[in-house]
Amino acid sequence: MYRVAVIKGDGIGIEVTEAAIEVINAVTDRIEFIEFEGGFEVFKRYGAPIREEDLEEIKKMDAVLFGATSTPFDVPNYKSLIITLRKELNLYANLRIIPDLWNEREIYIVRENSEGLYSGLYDVEKEKVVDYRIITRKGAERIARFAINLAKEKREKVTFVHKANVLMGDKFFRKVVLSLAEREGVEVREKIVDSFTIELVRNPWNQEIILTENLFGDILSDLAAIHARSIGIVPSGNYGDDIALFEPIHGTAPDIAGKGIANPIGSILSGAMLLDYLNLNGQIIWEAVKSYVRKGNLTPDLGGTAMTKDVVEGIIEEIEYRIDPLEWDEVWVDEIRINFIPTLFIK
Ligand SMILES: O=C(O)CC[C@H](C(=O)O)[C@@H](O)C(=O)O
Ligand SMILES: [Mn+2]
């Protein structure tokens, strides 16, 4: 039995995480979900976005399923829950898969997840504030290795997106990436981040495995999400050496929270990535989602009129069909038998 921590968070994070759990439970009974509370409400009660004792418990889990939390700009000492978890669980690699569910293609973005402009180090003076953009050899090497391994697995190249023409940190990052890739025999294409945004908009589908620094990855993954037709569809995995956390890249969408119309697919596909991480059958969820979106009623962000629960039910039906088609054939035959035979005898 695997033990998975669940942090639903705020807004639609609650609705889409519950949806993902329903779908995961339709695939496997080998996961025990243990819920923890976290976010701004917890901060107001305990002065931190998550309680220390809960964090220690979460570290003992096999994985984490995370919803979404929002971070107010102007609350002194409040720190983003997801940034806290990435640091505390040492989740240094953020893989974001932007899928075109209608045409069997994806954009892979490997975002360094522990340092860069998210180092959390800064100096505040009366007339000046400095945020430190830190690139370490350890940080650069381990994210480069993550991207290179993925490129080998997918038989792709690595597209390293940086600003080494201006930033000293990226000159260093670049040296580490290029020397490791050469040792590993993986080809690296280099792109400068500003001009790369044009390419990512115009020609998104053959960008290989995109590797980039933390903040660049944050921005590029939301930009790339336009090609998924809705950011509500995009899943992600935050990987460390001991544990991983899976979450959709969208936010809490307060404007639709509680209305039951949130798109659960990003969270459901994050659940698929979680199953793959645990060597369970995540692929069946990808197949069920692709089959559903090509014929089912979709949520309003994709132009449909479906409620979240309709999408969940439709995807679970697709899964059940894949798990036991024979059972479905029996149902189908029963249907015919029930509906067809009586008409034979109607005068
Ligand atoms: O506002 C938050 O707490 C989440 C921020 C977070 C980030 O990486 O900057 C989010 O934008 C994301 O892409 O995961
Ligand atoms: Mn973001």
Side-chain angles (χ1 to χ4, degrees), residues 1 15 62 66 84 121 149 151 154 161 179 198 200 272 332:
M1 199 69 163
E15 301 161 65
D62 296 299
F66 186 86
T84 302
L121 298 182
N149 290 343
K154 301 276 177 198
V161 181
S179 63
I198 299 169
L200 195 52
W332 186 75

Side-chain angles (χ1 to χ4, degrees), residues 41-59:
E41 290 312 312
V42 171
F43 170 77
K44 284 193 277 190
R45 269 180 272 149
Y46 303 103
I50 192 160
R51 291 190 304 180
E52 197 51 47
E53 56 269 38
D54 285 349
L55 203 46
E56 291 316 305
E57 276 309 300
I58 289 170
K59 288 176 182 174

Side-chain angles (χ1 to χ4, degrees), residues 6 11 13 31 35 38 50 63 75 86 97 106 131 144 179 185 197 211 223 228 230 236 322:
V6 176
I31 293 180
E35 188 169 347
I50 192 160
V75 175
R86 289 171 185 165
I97 302 175
E106 296 87 21
D131 285 298
S179 63
T197 56
L211 165 63
L223 174 66
S230 163
S236 75
R322 282 163 177 74

Side-chain angles (χ1 to χ4, degrees), residues 63-66 82 85 89 91 236-239 243-247:
V64 184
L65 183 63
F66 186 86
I82 188 65
L85 289 168
L89 301 179
L91 305 174
S236 75
N238 297 255
Y239 299 86
I243 190 171
L245 176 149
F246 299 87
E247 54 160 340

Side-chain angles (χ1 to χ4, degrees), residues 96 111 218 222 249:
R96 305 187 143 189
R111 167 186 173 184
D218 179 46
D222 276 21
I249 73 165

